[in-house]
């Protein structure tokens, strides 16, 4: 017996002639000591059964399978069933070559083909499988249950592009719903009964099941509780259904998917249908993991592998189909175009010019079979040779962008909805796939890392299998595939937007909950307002009061009780009688009031488009003390506009730009006097400046004109902008693509004054004078130094072309070499030559909220450039400290004594009315934080221009703190804030913020919450959410977060109140928010007006409902005392239910229409809002005042009724109940500040209803007595005594200490 059979001694079949010859399979493994492996079972995961299975599938072929005996098939099945999951085996995961050691877990570093020495007659001598097929995991549907989480969750993934069946990864669906069908009832019921008074009434209702505790009808207690729960659960259900409906809109968005199919092989031999695959997997899953055999997994993978093999060299056809976003799967190839939202995390395969994309994609699929002489090897070798050059040059800002440069595979994406950064990001297609026929995508396999929330990191590889069936491919010996690394530059994450005028082909790698966007988003939670918690605490006091009252009555009566009544039963009955002290209708009234407030907000024409998505917390809008706002798209429009330039002696802005236009015309119209058919000379920096009126022009004007021309020329050349020609509505327009909107603003400004960027690629730039449409400047790009966050500057070395404008002119020749640089004033001030105006002018622009750029230049001789180029290339080849060495060469050779050309001021346009809105909110006592993913300088400028930081406040900046900085540096950075917390604003970057939150969390937060303004830059979505949570936990104050992008969703959901703005790039934030608005300035009305009304009305409504329940309990107490402490009900059945519903509910609920001030005064005096945050409208003080009023009125009503009428008779009940109803109606009228017609109707209508219902109350009243004068004067007297004293005290208090709203009204 061979050694291999020692692993399966239990299944030994000596008659089988299929033996595992390890010497033949793996000499290295077979040569080891046999005792080392003796007794080990296949569970050691060493033998790659998957490789053995492939050998059976491919090596035998049809003839081998035909001649295989039943005994052999049975033994093979037993052998395979005893193996573990092939995906966990060494051969399946790690060994990438066919000759990898079979019993070794080592990873084979270099794949090779099967040697001819192993082609004997043995069963396993036919093993041969291309590298990526042997390494790829089984389909997701074929994995056992214990592997599902591993493949679909945190493990790395192998993705076969465009191929099916696919693994079971999460569906690509957006979900902002709080509940599922299964979790709705458990979660909502838990939330409801977590409030004390709901649990209290549940116990009271259940107590009526016990006969000895039953007082009235069971429905009297069950029905109100059921009604309360039905109202609350119905509201939650409607809110969640609305969320699901909005999610469905996003999930139904359609995308174009390239379907790769073999036209020669249709089903059943062709590509498996998705539905069939799902059906088979579903049938297998029903059997359970215990019944799922090893053969099930292998047979399914065999089917998939045979299908993959059939694609090699076959005729693949491309179909474009439209698929909804929710139906996208991992492995789908998407076709995306400009301004299209990216629905999942993608790896870019190709980026094509929009003009050529139709031919490049769909045209190829109609060409039929590929030529037989196609050589993949030649094609990929050409790619390989140019990988380094293309990648490095493409990453340079000067590279040709995808819009027009489809052949080099570049495109720009906008990520502001993901990470908050306004700069566009350059993304590259791997050179290996950029020139690949899309039909060959089936030969691609991508290995991607496990899902992560790091939006700036990605590690993966792409493998392209050589097509061995193509004749003349020239596949080199030992190579069956080609591998290329993948990085963040090759990806486009979900919720970003394609910005380039290009068509991008990309493959889906992460979907749904595993995308970067979803992983950075916290789970939606149920929110409850602070008012509800306050009422919950008050309810506990009322319950304690009920218990105290019940115990006191039993003690006075005597603990020993009476015959047949135990003392604890008597206490329980009293508790049930006094249960109205804790009014069950309180939640109903509050929930219905919230619905009314939500309707008021949505119907307000002053804030059109506002949507209330969480209708349970409108009162929270009146209690906000901290506002955390995003910048891009929330405070700003992300639209840049160059507002001002300064050239040393004079500045230009607004109307003065016309003079700049004149200087440009004079400086770039050298050929203007020539014949239009004759070429004009090209302009260089040393060209003579001509004013065309030299006789009258002064020398000073010529000097200024020359400086303006030089500055404009520098701005038109020193950038990374690429022009793109597009056709919109029949007209040709030029658009610009760049990584930064600042640069686009500068180029558009240069075009507006006469100098247009006509062409740019990786090697040349061409400028055109607008008025004459002549080419005036041509340059060669020698070097580009891109902008970095640490360097804060970008530079470019150009060689100007001199001669005539004609492109083919023989008179053109290289001329001057110039180095241009622009950057932040903080770094450029030490680079440019000494001057006396730079610091002052940049400070002036900064105070205006403008983003400043300092521009300089330096002329280089040919020798200087050669010396620099040599040193720079040497530094770029170093293996250690490469970036530092390259930066040092630039500093030593170029960045010394640059000629200062001027300063530009770019404005980031603010949203409508942002300045007055922030000022009003600040006056309302709200502390404002700005959290952004943008740069420090950008955030500083916006904070100043938006008046987030006032002129009198000092901005203290903390940046680049890390573990290496040490504790002392962190404490020193906070020392200044301790001395002047009221007049200092904090500006901090993401790294420093992370350091403080990790090591000095309490000290930092305790200081930061005292500052008037905080600006946090470079914040990740997780950091934003963490800050919101920390402020809530530390201060116990209400926090509102507002944003417009997907990167703000976590922050919005972590806040007490989340507000989303419907942005230009998507609705992710608005869908996840509690309130959705269309503009930032709508927030002021939402808080100052609607927030005020919602809180004040709910506070008044809650106290009045408590008063209504407490007063009837006081009446019950007096009645129990009068009846010798017997626990009998004063008002039974309908009287008890009708009092809380028909007879008092409408007038009390009409208080939701009351308002103490009008909208104009609320906006004029935002300080009124500050009072709301103190919670004085509903406090322990106001609560006990209402308790005192209730005790007085209840005692008067019931006491006088018992004195004036017989104690225990229907007459007393009729007088007492009638006075009780009248008292509540008049008390409502006393509390109204601003009358509404509905209030009048509700009070008078309720009075009429009560009078009309009296004839039907014969079972409780003495109707004959009711219609007598004796009844009338008793009711009038008792009502006057109960109402007049409280009203007089209220008038006196209002006169001696008027509330603020009466002061501003002048009352």
């Amino acid at each position: 017996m061979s050694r291999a059979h020692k692993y399966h001694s239990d299944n030994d079949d000596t008659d089988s002639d299929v033996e595992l010859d390890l010497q033949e399979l793996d000499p290295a493994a077979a040569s080891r000591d046999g005792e080392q492996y003796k007794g080990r079972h296949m569970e050691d995961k060493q033998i790659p059964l998957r490789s053995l299975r492939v050998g059976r599938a491919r090596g035998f072929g049809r003839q081998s399978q035909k001649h295989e005996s039943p005994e052999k098939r049975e033994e093979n099945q037993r052998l395979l069933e005893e193996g573990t999951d092939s995906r966990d085996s060494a051969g399946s995961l790690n060994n990438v070559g066919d000759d990898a050691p079979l019993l070794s877990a080592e990873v084979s570093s270099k794949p090779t083909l099967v040697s001819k020495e192993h082609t004997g007659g043995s069963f396993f001598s036919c093993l041969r499988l291309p590298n990526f097929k042997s390494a790829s995991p089984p389909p997701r549907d074929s994995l056992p249950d214990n592997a599902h989480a591993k493949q679909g969750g945190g493990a790395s993934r192998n993705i076969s592009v465009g191929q099916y069946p696919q693994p079971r990864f999460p569906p690509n669906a957006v979900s902002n719903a709080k509940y599922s069908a299964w979790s709705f009832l458990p979660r909502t019921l838990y939330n409801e009964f977590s409030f004390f008074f709901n649990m209290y009434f549940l116990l009271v209702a259940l107590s009526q099941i016990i006969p000895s505790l039953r007082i009235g009808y069971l429905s009297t207690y069950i029905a109100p509780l059921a009604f309360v729960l039905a109202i609350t659960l119905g509201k939650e259900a409607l809110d969640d259904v609305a969320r699901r409906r909005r999610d469905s809109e996003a999930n139904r968005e359609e995308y174009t998917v390239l379907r790769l199919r073999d036209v020669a092989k249709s089903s059943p031999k062709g590509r498996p249908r998705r539905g069939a695959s799902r059906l088979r997997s579903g049938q297998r899953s029903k059997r359970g993991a215990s019944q799922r055999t090893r053969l099930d997994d292998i047979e399914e993978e065999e089917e998939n592998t045979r299908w993959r093999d059939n694609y090699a060299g076959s005729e693949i056809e491309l179909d474009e189909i439209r698929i909804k976003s929710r139906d996208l799967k991992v492995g789908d190839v998407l076709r995306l175009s400009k301004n299209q939202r990216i629905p999942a995390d993608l790896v870019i395969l190709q980026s094509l010019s929009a003009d050529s994309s139709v031919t490049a994609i769909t045209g190829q699929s109609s060409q039929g079979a590929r030529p037989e002489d196609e050589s993949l090897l030649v094609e990929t070798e050409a790619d390989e040779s140019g990988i380094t050059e293309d990648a490095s040059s493409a990453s340079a800002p000067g590279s040709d962008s995808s819009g027009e440069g489809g052949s080099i595979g570049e495109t720009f994406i906008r990520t502001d909805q993901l990470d908050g950064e306004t700069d566009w990001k350059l993304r590259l297609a791997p050179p290996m796939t950029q020139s690949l026929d899309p039909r060959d995508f089936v030969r691609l396999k991508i290995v991607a890392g496990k899902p992560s929330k790091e939006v700036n990191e990605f590690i993966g590889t792409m493998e392209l299998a050589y097509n061995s069936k193509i004749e003349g491919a020239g596949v080199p010996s030992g190579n069956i595939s080609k591998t290329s690394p993948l990085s963040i530059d090759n990806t486009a994450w979900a919720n970003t937007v394609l910005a380039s005028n290009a068509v991008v082909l990309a493959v889906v790698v992460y979907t749904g909950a595993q995308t970067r966007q979803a992983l950075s988003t916290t789970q939606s939670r149920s929110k409850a307002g602070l008012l509800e918690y306050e009422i919950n605490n008050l309810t506990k006091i009322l319950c304690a009061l009920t218990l105290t009252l019940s115990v006191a009555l039993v003690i006075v009566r005597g603990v020993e009780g009476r015959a047949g009544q135990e003392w604890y039963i008597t206490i329980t009955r009293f508790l049930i009688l006094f249960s109205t002290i804790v009014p069950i209708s309180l939640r109903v009234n509050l929930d219905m009031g919230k619905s009314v407030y939500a309707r008021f907000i949505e119907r307000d024409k002053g804030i059109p488009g506002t949507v209330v998505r969480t209708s349970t917390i409108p009162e929270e809008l009146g209690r906000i003390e901290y506002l955390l706002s995003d910048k891009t798209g929330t405070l700003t429009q992300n639209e840049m506009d160059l507002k001002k330039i300064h050239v040393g002696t004079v500045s230009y802005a607004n109307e003065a730009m016309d003079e700049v236009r004149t200087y440009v015309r004079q400086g770039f119209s050298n050929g203007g006097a020539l014949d239009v058919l004759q070429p004009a000379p090209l302009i260089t920096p040393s060209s003579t400046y001509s004013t065309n009126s030299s006789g009258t022009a002064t020398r000073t004007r010529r000097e200024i004109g020359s400086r303006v021309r030089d500055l404009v020329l520098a701005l038109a050349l020193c950038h990374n902008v690429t022009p793109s020609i597009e056709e919109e509505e029949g007209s040709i327009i030029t658009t610009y693509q760049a990584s930064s909107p600042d640069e686009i603003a500068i180029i558009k400004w240069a075009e507006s004054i006469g100098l247009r960027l006509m062409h740019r690629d990786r090697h040349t730039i061409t400028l055109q004078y607008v008025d004459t449409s002549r080419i005036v400047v041509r340059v060669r790009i020698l070097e580009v130094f891109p902008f970095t966050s640490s360097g804060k500057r970008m530079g470019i070395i150009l060689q100007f072309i001199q001669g005539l404008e004609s492109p083919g002119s023989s008179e053109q020749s290289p001329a001057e070499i110039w180095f241009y640089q622009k950057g932040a004033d903080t770094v450029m001030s030490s680079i440019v030559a000494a001057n006396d105006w730079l610091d002052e002018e940049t400070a002036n622009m900064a105070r205006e909220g403008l983003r400043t750029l300092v521009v300089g230049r330096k002329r280089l001789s040919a020798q200087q450039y050669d010396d620099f180029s040599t040193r720079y290339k040497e530094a770029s080849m170093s293996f250690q400290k490469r970036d530092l060495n390259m930066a040092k060469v630039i500093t030593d050779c170029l960045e010394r004594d640059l000629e200062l050309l001027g300063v530009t001021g770019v404005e980031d346009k603010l949203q409508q009315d942002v300045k007055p809105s922030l000022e009003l909110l600040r006056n309302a006592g709200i502390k404002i934080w700005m959290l952004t993913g943008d740069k420090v300088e950008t955030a500083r400028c916006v904070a100043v221009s938006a008046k987030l930081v006032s002129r009198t406040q000092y901005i203290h900046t903390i940046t680049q703190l890390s573990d290496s900085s040490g504790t002392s540096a962190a404490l020193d950075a906070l020392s200044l804030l301790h001395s002047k917390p009221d007049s200092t604003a904090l500006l901090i970057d993401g790294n420093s913020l992370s350091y403080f939150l990790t090591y000095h969390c309490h000290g930092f937060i305790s200081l930061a919450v005292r500052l008037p303004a905080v600006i946090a830059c470079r914040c990740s979505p997780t950091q934003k959410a963490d800050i919101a949570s920390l402020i809530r936990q530390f201060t116990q104050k209400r926090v509102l977060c507002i944003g417009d992008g997907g990167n703000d969703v976590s922050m919005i959901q972590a806040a007490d109140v989340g507000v989303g703005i419907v942005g230009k790039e998507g609705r992710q934030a608005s869908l996840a928010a509690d309130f959705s608005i269309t503009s930032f300035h709508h927030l002021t009305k939402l808080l100052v007006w609607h927030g005020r009304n919602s809180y004040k009305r709910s506070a008044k409504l809650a106290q009045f409902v408590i008063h209504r329940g407490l007063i009837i309990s006081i009446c019950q107490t007096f009645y129990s005392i009068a009846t010798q402490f017997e626990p009998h009900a004063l008002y039974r059945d309908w009287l008890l239910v009708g009092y809380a519903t028909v007879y008092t509910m409408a007038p009390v609920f009409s208080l939701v229409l009351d308002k103490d001030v009008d909208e104009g005064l609320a906006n004029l005096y935002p300080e009124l809002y500050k009072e709301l945050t103190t919670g004085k409208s509903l406090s322990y003080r106001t609560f006990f005042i209402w308790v005192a009023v209730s005790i007085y009125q209840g005692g008067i009503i019931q006491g006088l009724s018992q004195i004036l009428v017989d104690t225990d008779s229907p007459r007393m009940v009729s007088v007492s109940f009638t006075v009780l109803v009248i008292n509540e109606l008049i008390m409502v009228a006393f509390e109204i500040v601003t009358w509404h017609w509905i209030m009048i109707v509700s009070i008078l209508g309720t009075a009429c209803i009560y009078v009309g219902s009296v004839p039907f109350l014969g079972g409780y009243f003495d109707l004959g007595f009711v219609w007598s004068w004796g009844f009338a004067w008793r009711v009038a007297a008792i009502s006057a005594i109960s109402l007049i004293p409280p009203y007089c005290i209220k008038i006196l208090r209002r006169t001696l200490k008027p509330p603020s709203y009466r002061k501003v009204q002048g009352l």
Side-chain angles (χ1 to χ4, degrees), residues 543-563:
C543 185
L545 180 63
T546 303
L547 180 61
T548 302
L549 192 60
S550 302
V551 172
L553 291 176
V554 172
I555 291 175
V556 173
R557 177 188 179 218
V559 177
E560 66 278 2
R562 298 176 183 175

Side-chain angles (χ1 to χ4, degrees), residues 721-1021:
V721 181
T722 301
S724 175
I725 306 299
E726 299 181 7
E727 182 177 351
E728 290 187 4
E729 299 179 356
S731 60
I732 304 299
I733 61 173
T734 301
T735 59
Y736 299 104
Q737 300 169 6
S739 62
S740 172
D742 299 61
E743 296 200 320
I744 295 179
I746 292 175
I747 293 302
K748 288 183 176 180
W749 172 82
E751 181 180 2
S752 69
I753 62 173
L755 195 60
R756 175 185 294 139
L757 175 63
M758 185 177 181
H759 173 75
R760 177 184 178 138
D761 56 30
R762 289 187 293 167
H763 308 293
T764 61
I765 297 177
T766 302
L767 302 181
Q768 180 189 60
Y769 181 58
V770 176
D771 292 348
T772 61
S773 298
R774 289 182 180 273
I775 302 300
V776 292
V777 176
R778 289 186 188 276
V779 297
R780 288 177 55 204
I781 301 174
L782 301 181
E783 297 286 350
V784 177
F785 313 108
F787 178 90
T788 61
S789 299
S790 57
K792 301 180 182 179
R793 59 193 182 277
M794 72 89 57
I796 188 170
I797 299 179
L798 304 171
Q799 185 175 38
F800 285 81
I801 306 299
Q802 63 183 4
L804 300 179
E805 65 174 303
S806 177
S809 175
S810 60
E811 300 182 17
Q812 289 188 0
S813 61
E816 311 158 17
I817 299 176
W818 288 82
F819 168 61
Y820 288 96
Q821 191 172 56
K822 65 181 180 183
D825 59 287
T826 54
V827 296
M828 291 295 293
S829 58
S830 60
I831 295 175
V832 299
N835 61 87
D836 58 356
W837 60 269
L838 178 60
D839 293 339
E840 179 181 358
E841 187 57 33
T842 53
N844 291 336
M845 289 187 181
R847 279 191 290 270
E848 296 175 19
L850 301 178
R851 304 165 68 165
T852 57
L853 280 177
V854 179
V855 185
R857 69 177 182 178
K858 182 178 185 178
R859 184 168 182 174
L860 304 176
S861 65
Q863 181 62 38
Q864 287 177 317
Y865 174 72
D866 290 341
D867 293 343
F868 162 76
S869 181
T870 301
R871 294 181 57 187
Y872 191 68
K873 289 180 180 178
E874 290 177 356
S876 65
M877 299 298 292
S878 59
F879 288 96
Q880 295 182 351
K881 300 182 179 179
R882 177 182 299 177
D883 294 339
L884 292 177
N885 293 336
M886 294 170 67
K888 186 176 186 302
V889 173
I890 296 174
T891 302
D892 295 342
C893 298
L894 302 178
E895 295 179 339
R896 292 183 183 274
D897 296 328
L898 268 64
E899 176 189 355
L900 177 58
L901 296 178
V903 181
T904 64
V906 177
E907 179 188 43
D908 190 353
K909 293 183 180 179
L910 299 175
Q911 293 280 3
Q912 180 184 355
D913 295 333
V914 163
K915 294 181 183 179
S917 298
L918 290 177
E919 183 178 1
L920 187 146
L921 294 174
R922 191 163 46 243
N923 292 336
I926 299 175
K927 293 182 173 63
I928 304 172
W929 291 38
M930 185 174 75
L931 310 180
T932 176
D934 222 328
K935 298 185 290 292
V936 174
E937 293 79 9
T938 304
R940 181 194 298 270
C941 293
V942 172
V944 173
S945 62
K947 298 297 186 289
L948 178 63
V949 178
S950 65
R951 294 180 178 270
T952 59
Q953 291 175 350
Y954 168 73
I955 301 179
H956 181 55
T957 304
I958 302 177
T959 58
Q960 298 179 349
L961 276 182
S962 61
D963 294 345
S964 59
S965 303
T967 303
S968 59
L971 297 179
D972 291 342
L974 294 178
S975 60
L976 180 61
L977 297 177
H978 280 287
S979 60
K980 298 180 180 179
D982 297 329
S983 60
T984 304
L986 174 63
L987 176 62
I988 187 170
D989 67 352
N991 291 335
S992 304
L993 179 64
S994 178
Y995 178 81
F996 278 119
L997 296 182
T998 303
Y999 299 105
H1000 308 282
C1001 182
H1002 184 272
F1004 173 77
I1005 289 294
S1006 62
L1007 179 60
V1009 295
R1010 296 163 52 196
L1011 302 177
V1014 176
I1015 304 101
C1017 317
R1018 296 294 186 186
C1019 284
S1020 66

Side-chain angles (χ1 to χ4, degrees), residues 49 124 161 168 198 239 817 927 959 1003 1009 1022 1159 1175 1180 1187:
L49 290 180
F124 293 100
V161 177
R168 274 186 252 165
N198 280 346
D239 288 345
I817 299 176
K927 293 182 173 63
T959 58
V1009 295
T1022 304
E1159 183 180 348
Y1180 289 114
V1187 169

